Amino acid sequence: MACSYQSSTGGPRLNFSDYLRVIRRHWVGISALTFVGVLVGGVSTFVVEPTYTASTKLFVAIQSTGSVSELQQGNTFSQARVQSYIETVTTPLVLDPVISSLGVSTTSADLAKKVKASSELNTVIIEISASDASPVQAAAIAQGVASSLVQVVDELEKPKTGGTSPVRLTILSPAAAPESPSSPNVRNNLIIGLVAGLLAGLSFAIIRFLSDNTIRTEEDLRRLTDIPLLGGVAFDTDAAKSPLISDSQGQSIRAEAFRQIRTNLQFAHVGQSSRTLLVTSSTPGEGKSTTAANLAISLAESGQSVLLVDGDLRRPKIGEYLGLDRNAGLTTALVGNADVEDLLQPWGPQGMAVLTSGQIPPNPSELLGSEAMKHLLMYVEAQYDIVVIDAPPLLPVTDAAVLAQHVGGVVLIIEAQATKTAEIQRSISALEMVAAPILGVVLNRLPVKGPDAYSYSYYGSDVQRQQGTRRRDSRNSSQPYSTNGYGSLESSYEEDGIHISSLTGQRSPARFRSSRFADED
């Protein structure tokens, strides 16, 4: 039963199905962040001041009338000089005359930030572009820089001995005022916002998935432990008002879920000498009491004689769920104030017997771990096919761990999407410390929709089809049954290809006096 869970800090590996589950589980967050990204991209388009860019092109040539080889050498010379001219564009030597001619109040350093010069490889064409909030001003700057560069190059390339410059720059296309802004680019901003928002949403979802330390699905349980999964019970909003499967239709999805758990439990219980089953959970509120009651009802429906014991002596619920008196029950028998046979209460048409908790004692752990409790369990095991005990949760108190030493198996209830993996690990360790046989786990309150939904499609289709044909005589409301909870209960039930027949017959009433506990202590 050792835990094999790999925590998020250890970096569990995600396969393709995990990524799909992440997207389905967190699609709202992913969509919201994606929308925010697109919204930011769109807002930035209207918030940022538009910028206009104008450009002009210059051609660099060598003034020569020589042979073809001389022209080729001149072209190579021009290409080599182009990069130098590009670097000259943003120098004060070129920009200062532009500032003077345009009459703008700026410096050459500030103007250089608005000007850009470039040239394609192996060409003698220089492109000069200028950006400004005004399209007219952008064109004026670009044209002024181009004209200034022509003059500066002419002065720089003149021979010291005098004469004309061998290099000539010619403006190929004058700068014109642009009709539309170069930035912001609406399309690019929206695409960037979409991609950034989507990446942020996926990152958020994956981080949430890796940091989630709750058990949501069977796959999560497999990462945590190799304890068998007996079944899952879907979340039902009506369960709070009608927690028992007998309160709903006999062929409901919830009832079928408990029958499936019953079948799996019979396989898990093979080889166990004790017929006492303890139902517990890690923390309060996970549905252990309703699971214990419904499991007992389901076992009784299969024709077995069942005793349901409310062993939660701190917050007993069985009496409340079944509508029975709990003032006299288990604690009454353990302290020797009444005989067990006088405390058993019949319930349901199947003749299930119930032993409620009795008065809440000041020392529940001592009572549950006493020899009296041990002998009581030995006695009722001899009287019933199976005994189901609703025990307190494992982590808050030690009652369940103490009681688990005297039973044939433990069923651990886990509330899906709520119970932490650390809590389950501590619960399993507590049971292993007392060598309690853990028969399996029941995932309770599983979602019926979404990525973590438990599959009920088999029941959903077959239940409607078998409504009129798959009913047992024992569930007929007109069938009489013994008021004392005993009698001949003979039935059979065909489930999932497995024939389950009861081993019941006429049983005599239990004769066990609690005074024997004191005699054998």
Side-chain angles (χ1 to χ4, degrees), residues 8 10 97 120 153 158 210 299 374 516:
S8 59
E120 294 185 6
V153 170
K158 279 185 179 181
L210 295 177
L299 289 167
K374 181 179 179 180
R516 292 175 55 188

Side-chain angles (χ1 to χ4, degrees), residues 23-258:
I23 294 174
R24 291 185 61 193
R25 182 183 296 176
H26 300 288
W27 69 269
V28 175
I30 296 173
S31 301
L33 288 176
T34 303
F35 174 76
V36 170
V38 174
L39 184 63
V40 171
V43 169
S44 64
T45 302
F46 299 98
V47 172
V48 177
E49 184 181 11
T51 302
Y52 296 86
T53 302
S55 61
T56 181
K57 293 182 178 181
L58 295 86
F59 184 86
V60 181
I62 301 297
Q63 302 186 55
S64 174
T65 57
S67 61
V68 175
S69 60
E70 289 178 347
L71 290 174
Q72 186 176 1
Q73 291 176 359
N75 185 59
T76 304
F77 175 80
S78 300
Q79 293 179 12
R81 306 292 279 183
V82 163
Q83 293 301 319
S84 300
Y85 301 152
I86 291 175
E87 295 294 332
T88 308
V89 168
T90 55
T91 62
L93 187 62
V94 174
L95 298 180
D96 285 342
V98 177
I99 295 174
S100 300
S101 62
L102 296 178
V104 294
S105 58
T106 184
T107 63
S108 58
D110 292 335
L111 185 59
K113 298 177 182 178
K114 298 182 177 181
V115 178
K116 180 181 178 182
S118 61
S119 175
E120 294 185 6
L121 188 64
N122 298 327
T123 65
V124 292
I125 296 177
I126 300 175
E127 182 177 3
I128 298 176
S129 59
S131 300
D132 195 85
S134 170
V136 176
Q137 186 73 356
I141 293 174
Q143 189 65 31
V145 172
S147 301
S148 179
L149 180 63
V150 171
Q151 297 177 6
V152 169
V153 170
D154 185 71
E155 292 293 331
L156 291 176
E157 295 293 355
K158 279 185 179 181
K160 293 182 179 180
T161 57
T164 61
S165 170
V167 180
R168 185 181 66 216
L169 272 64
T170 304
I171 298 177
L172 296 178
S173 58
E179 297 180 357
S180 59
S182 57
S183 67
N185 189 306
V186 178
R187 180 173 177 272
N188 288 347
N189 287 349
L190 292 178
I191 293 176
I192 292 174
L194 174 67
V195 174
L198 182 60
L199 291 177
L202 291 175
S203 300
F204 162 79
I206 292 175
I207 292 174
R208 284 287 302 274
F209 179 82
L210 295 177
S211 60
D212 187 5
N213 60 351
T214 59
I215 296 298
R216 293 177 174 269
T217 63
E218 182 178 355
E219 289 77 10
D220 296 335
L221 183 65
R222 291 289 167 264
R223 295 190 185 100
L224 178 66
T225 179
D226 56 358
I227 296 175
L229 175 63
L230 298 176
V233 181
F235 176 77
D236 188 355
T237 54
D238 297 331
K241 298 179 180 178
S242 302
L244 305 180
I245 56 176
S246 60
D247 295 339
S248 59
Q249 293 181 349
Q251 300 293 337
S252 66
I253 292 178
R254 195 159 179 263
E256 289 291 346
F258 280 102

Side-chain angles (χ1 to χ4, degrees), residues 392-407:
L394 286 160
L395 299 185
V397 292
T398 61
D399 301 12
V402 170
L403 193 56
Q405 302 176 69
H406 308 310
V407 302

Side-chain angles (χ1 to χ4, degrees), residues 434-451:
V434 297
I438 307 176
L439 299 181
V441 169
V442 173
L443 286 178
N444 195 28
R445 297 171 186 163
L446 283 163
V448 294
K449 296 180 180 180

Side-chain angles (χ1 to χ4, degrees), residues 332-407:
T332 311
L334 294 179
V335 298
N337 290 340
D339 296 337
V340 173
E341 60 266 25
D342 297 330
L343 301 172
L344 299 178
Q345 302 181 57
W347 189 91
Q350 294 80 22
M352 181 179 72
V354 181
L355 180 61
T356 57
S357 63
Q359 295 294 325
I360 298 177
N363 57 342
S365 298
E366 288 74 9
L367 280 180
L368 295 176
S370 64
E371 285 294 317
M373 184 67 190
K374 181 179 179 180
H375 292 308
L376 186 147
L377 291 179
M378 292 175 60
Y379 179 78
V380 296
E381 277 186 1
Q383 305 301 316
Y384 294 91
D385 292 333
I386 188 165
V387 178
V388 180
I389 302 177
D390 174 30
L394 286 160
L395 299 185
V397 292
T398 61
D399 301 12
V402 170
L403 193 56
Q405 302 176 69
H406 308 310
V407 302

Side-chain angles (χ1 to χ4, degrees), residues 252-517:
S252 66
I253 292 178
R254 195 159 179 263
E256 289 291 346
F258 280 102
R259 294 188 186 107
Q260 181 66 34
I261 296 172
R262 177 188 66 192
T263 302
N264 293 336
L265 186 61
Q266 289 174 333
F267 284 105
H269 201 261
V270 172
Q272 299 293 336
S273 57
S274 174
R275 289 176 290 181
T276 302
L277 182 68
L278 185 140
V279 180
T280 185
S281 61
S282 300
T283 58
E286 297 189 57
K288 64 174 183 59
S289 296
T290 54
T291 302
N294 286 322
L295 182 58
I297 294 172
S298 179
L299 289 167
E301 287 177 347
S302 69
Q304 302 182 76
S305 60
V306 180
L307 172 63
L308 175 60
V309 180
D310 192 348
D312 191 343
L313 302 185
R314 298 177 187 269
R315 295 180 180 179
K317 291 292 184 181
I318 295 298
E320 177 184 343
Y321 291 152
L322 300 181
L324 300 176
D325 181 18
R326 73 167 183 84
N327 290 321
L330 178 60
T331 56
T332 311
L334 294 179
V335 298
N337 290 340
D339 296 337
V340 173
E341 60 266 25
D342 297 330
L343 301 172
L344 299 178
Q345 302 181 57
W347 189 91
Q350 294 80 22
M352 181 179 72
V354 181
L355 180 61
T356 57
S357 63
Q359 295 294 325
I360 298 177
N363 57 342
S365 298
E366 288 74 9
L367 280 180
L368 295 176
S370 64
E371 285 294 317
M373 184 67 190
K374 181 179 179 180
H375 292 308
L376 186 147
L377 291 179
M378 292 175 60
Y379 179 78
V380 296
E381 277 186 1
Q383 305 301 316
Y384 294 91
D385 292 333
I386 188 165
V387 178
V388 180
I389 302 177
D390 174 30
L394 286 160
L395 299 185
V397 292
T398 61
D399 301 12
V402 170
L403 193 56
Q405 302 176 69
H406 308 310
V407 302
V410 177
V411 175
L412 183 63
I413 309 303
I414 296 176
E415 182 182 0
Q417 305 185 80
T419 309
K420 309 296 183 184
T421 55
E423 295 171 342
I424 300 173
Q425 288 175 322
R426 289 168 56 195
S427 298
I428 295 174
S429 298
L431 293 173
E432 290 178 342
M433 286 284 290
V434 297
I438 307 176
L439 299 181
V441 169
V442 173
L443 286 178
N444 195 28
R445 297 171 186 163
L446 283 163
V448 294
K449 296 180 180 180
D452 301 323
Y454 194 72
S455 176
Y456 284 93
S457 58
Y458 172 80
Y459 299 118
S461 59
D462 287 0
V463 167
Q464 300 297 329
R465 179 168 50 86
Q466 299 176 1
Q467 283 266 340
T469 59
R470 192 178 173 188
R471 295 187 181 274
R472 296 185 300 278
D473 293 339
S474 61
R475 209 163 27 238
N476 191 331
S477 58
S478 62
Q479 179 183 358
Y481 61 94
S482 175
T483 57
N484 64 3
Y486 304 98
S488 178
L489 297 175
E490 187 171 0
S491 63
S492 62
Y493 179 67
E494 194 77 26
E495 178 179 335
D496 297 332
I498 301 171
H499 186 72
I500 305 171
S501 298
S502 64
L503 301 176
T504 59
Q506 186 71 29
R507 293 185 179 274
S508 59
R511 298 299 301 169
F512 183 85
R513 299 185 59 84
S514 56
S515 58
R516 292 175 55 188
F517 299 160

